[in-house]
Amino acid sequence: MSRECEVVLRVEDRVESVADDVLVKRCVEGDRQSFRLLYRRHQPRVRQILYQLCDLTMLDDLTQEVFLRAWKGLAKFRQSSRFSTWLYRIAWNVASDRRQTLAQDRSRLQTLAQSVATQHDDPDIMQLHYQDLVRKGLSCLSEEHRAVLVLHDLEELPQKEVAEILEIPVGTVKSRLFHARSGMRKFLEESGVQI
């Protein structure tokens, strides 16, 4: 490996190890490169959260919306919580806004429901891919239960952080998690999955 390549790799390693709070401070001071690093670091997880909470048709747009809101709101970010917690809260808000928009547009919602029903009417449910089955199960849960299950079980966030993101007490997270798991278990059993 050439000496130039080694230097570039060492610089990239140092940049990747810079803490979020340092990058946020640099962003507020006008450093756009720091925001690019935050985007690269957190985009996959934000996208996964949105994937679990929203329809796939707008996934790229919703992900961009989350980061656009984050960029505009960085100056107001209180560093009393982690940047990732704040960012996931924005993702939750974007997902909620998206659901409200869909609910207001009845004809579009009916068209969407018909297309989803057509796609999943295949009588051989055991051949569905695991993610499709989980996604269908998640759609059967209430918004509150789905959010807790996605953030805690699928994204593996601690209950305390889930509580911060959703702005609810930890006890409520535990209760909703219990009910969400029960609902998912019931759905999977009814779909023929042995648990």
Side-chain angles (χ1 to χ4, degrees):
M1 180 182 298
S2 74
R3 198 146 173 64
E4 289 176 11
C5 289
E6 287 179 26
V7 171
V8 168
L9 287 175
R10 275 189 262 136
V11 169
E12 286 179 1
D13 288 342
R14 281 188 298 216
V15 167
E16 291 299 321
S17 66
V18 175
D20 284 352
D21 57 340
V22 173
L23 292 174
V24 168
K25 185 177 182 218
R26 290 179 186 168
C27 289
V28 171
E29 293 169 353
D31 181 8
R32 291 177 185 247
Q33 184 62 30
S34 292
F35 192 75
R36 284 188 191 100
L37 293 172
L38 287 170
Y39 177 85
R40 273 199 338 237
R41 185 177 292 169
H42 294 284
Q43 184 266 356
R45 200 118 186 234
V46 166
R47 189 174 174 82
Q48 184 63 27
I49 289 169
L50 291 170
Y51 171 79
Q52 300 295 343
L53 295 174
C54 298
D55 61 279
L56 294 176
T57 59
M58 299 291 291
L59 190 57
D60 292 332
D61 291 339
L62 294 175
T63 302
Q64 293 304 317
E65 177 67 21
V66 169
F67 284 96
L68 181 62
R69 288 187 190 184
W71 174 254
K72 289 179 178 179
L74 271 176
K76 299 175 194 171
F77 170 58
R78 296 172 288 129
Q79 295 204 9
S80 58
S81 64
R82 293 176 28 193
F83 173 77
S84 60
T85 302
W86 179 73
L87 186 64
Y88 301 154
R89 177 65 194 177
I90 293 172
W92 166 252
N93 289 340
V94 167
S96 295
D97 292 349
R98 173 68 178 153
R99 282 192 301 275
Q100 287 174 358
T101 300
L102 286 175
Q104 292 170 354
D105 188 356
R106 291 268 181 214
S107 64
R108 186 170 181 192
L109 181 62
Q110 289 172 350
T111 303
L112 180 63
Q114 289 171 350
S115 70
V116 170
T118 303
Q119 291 172 3
H120 294 294
D121 278 345
D122 186 0
D124 191 9
I125 197 165
M126 295 305 289
Q127 292 182 6
L128 288 175
H129 188 272
Y130 176 73
Q131 283 185 332
D132 292 336
L133 189 59
V134 169
R135 184 155 172 77
K136 191 172 181 182
L138 286 171
S139 70
C140 294
L141 299 175
S142 70
E143 182 179 326
E144 292 83 13
H145 290 150
R146 182 181 338 154
V148 170
L149 190 68
V150 166
L151 293 172
H152 184 269
D153 287 0
L154 299 179
E155 293 302 317
E156 300 177 350
L157 296 176
Q159 291 179 357
K160 184 177 179 184
E161 191 169 347
V162 173
E164 285 181 49
I165 291 169
L166 300 178
E167 297 176 341
I168 58 176
V170 173
T172 304
V173 170
K174 291 178 182 180
S175 172
R176 288 182 183 175
L177 191 55
F178 172 80
H179 292 290
R181 287 174 176 165
S182 296
M184 183 62 88
R185 188 176 302 112
K186 181 180 176 187
F187 169 80
L188 291 172
E189 287 171 355
E190 289 173 356
S191 298
V193 176
Q194 296 294 327
I195 299 178

